[in-house]
Structures are given as C-alpha cells and as structure tokens.
Amino acid sequence: MTASPTPRLALPLLEPGQAQKEMTHNEALVRLDIATQASVLAEAPAPPAAPQIGQCWLVASAPQGAWALAAGAIAAWTEGGWRFVAPVEGMRIWIAAEASFALFSQGSWYHGRTYGRLFIEGRQLVGPQQPNVAEPTGGVTVDAEARVAITAVLQTLRRHGLIEASNL
C-alpha cells in the first residue's frame, strides 16, 4: 500500500515498513519549512542565477527554465535543488520586494489586498464598504463653510474606499 500525500500541502507520508524513512520525513520537513509562515523575496518568471539555500520566490504566471511547470508555486532553493510548494486556497505569503502580503484565492495570487474587518482593542474601525452618502446641495440652514467641510469628509471617505464613489 502506497501512502497518499497529505491533502492540503501534499507532504509525503511514511509507509509501513518503509526503508530510509528519514528521506521521506526530511522532504516533508523541507516543504513544511517553505509553506509555514511563507515569505518570498519577490515574484519572478525564472530562477535567479545564484540563489542561496533557504531563499524563496513566487513563481510568476509565465515561468521559464527550471520553473517552467510551476506557475503560481512557491519556489525554494534547497541543498537538493529547487523545491516547489503549490499554493492552497487561503494561503498568504509575505513578498519582501513589495513589503506586502499576497493571498491565494480562487486559483490566483492577489497582491497587496486586505480582506475582512479591522479591529483595534476589540472595536471594529473598518468593515465592508457602505453605500455612497449624497453631498448636501442646499437648504437655508446649511451655510457655505459647513457644506465645504462635509464635502471634504465625504471625499476623504470615498478616497479611502470606506464609502463608494459618487455617481454624480
């Protein structure tokens, strides 16, 4: 009976009575080292000329050379050569060159996006975008200075994406 790899990270499993178990175990540890708290130097279409052991890259969508069949994977240079970890839904990696995270969702990497809500000390500060708020247009009680201040607040909220842009 051949042991199937683990379902999420495709880590190799030991087989009953297997000889040289340390090879399978070490391969699993190397892949786990790549995928856990994943961090890459940059996204690239081809391997660098002189990688150092432990360095990782995100393989671009049109890969070349030794990375030709690894589009979207995390490529790591190890003592045994290139190792690739295929992304799984919800995987997040730090991309040092961009100083931001990328999220793997629905078969693609999304760079520099944040999902969810922002809580600070248990208080929600940012959540899903809300509908646009119309700017004041007139009336006897709204003077010009108040209208300018309200408009500036609304424009800032739109710029930050907290309310949708005006359709005016």
Side-chain angles (χ1 to χ4, degrees):
M1 175 165 87
T2 303
S4 299
T6 62
R8 286 186 25 89
L9 295 176
L11 301 174
L13 297 173
L14 298 175
E15 296 182 32
Q18 175 181 337
Q20 298 183 328
K21 290 177 170 73
E22 67 278 1
M23 293 180 74
T24 301
H25 178 74
N26 289 346
E27 178 65 20
L29 289 176
V30 167
R31 289 188 191 187
L32 202 56
D33 186 52
I34 296 166
T36 304
Q37 296 293 324
S39 176
V40 299
L41 296 174
E43 183 173 25
Q52 295 179 7
I53 292 173
Q55 289 182 325
C56 298
W57 288 265
L58 177 58
V59 180
S61 60
Q64 306 161 10
W67 294 357
L69 300 176
I74 300 171
W77 183 248
T78 68
E79 290 178 358
W82 288 109
R83 294 285 198 287
F84 301 97
V85 171
V88 295
E89 186 70 17
M91 181 180 265
R92 219 167 70 142
I93 60 171
W94 175 255
I95 302 178
E98 298 174 11
S100 69
F101 287 100
L103 175 74
F104 189 79
S105 179
Q106 300 177 352
S108 297
W109 284 104
Y110 293 92
H111 297 246
R113 294 185 184 179
T114 300
Y115 293 88
R117 295 174 166 87
L118 173 63
F119 286 82
I120 296 179
E121 296 179 359
R123 185 171 175 210
Q124 181 178 338
L125 299 180
V126 177
Q129 186 181 61
Q130 298 299 307
N132 185 35
V133 177
E135 295 176 18
T137 57
V140 291
T141 59
V142 178
D143 66 11
E145 290 178 9
R147 189 173 292 121
V148 168
I150 293 169
T151 299
V153 169
L154 291 172
Q155 288 173 345
T156 300
L157 291 171
R158 289 184 192 114
R159 245 189 340 272
H160 287 277
L162 297 175
I163 59 174
E164 63 186 28
S166 175
N167 293 330
L168 301 175

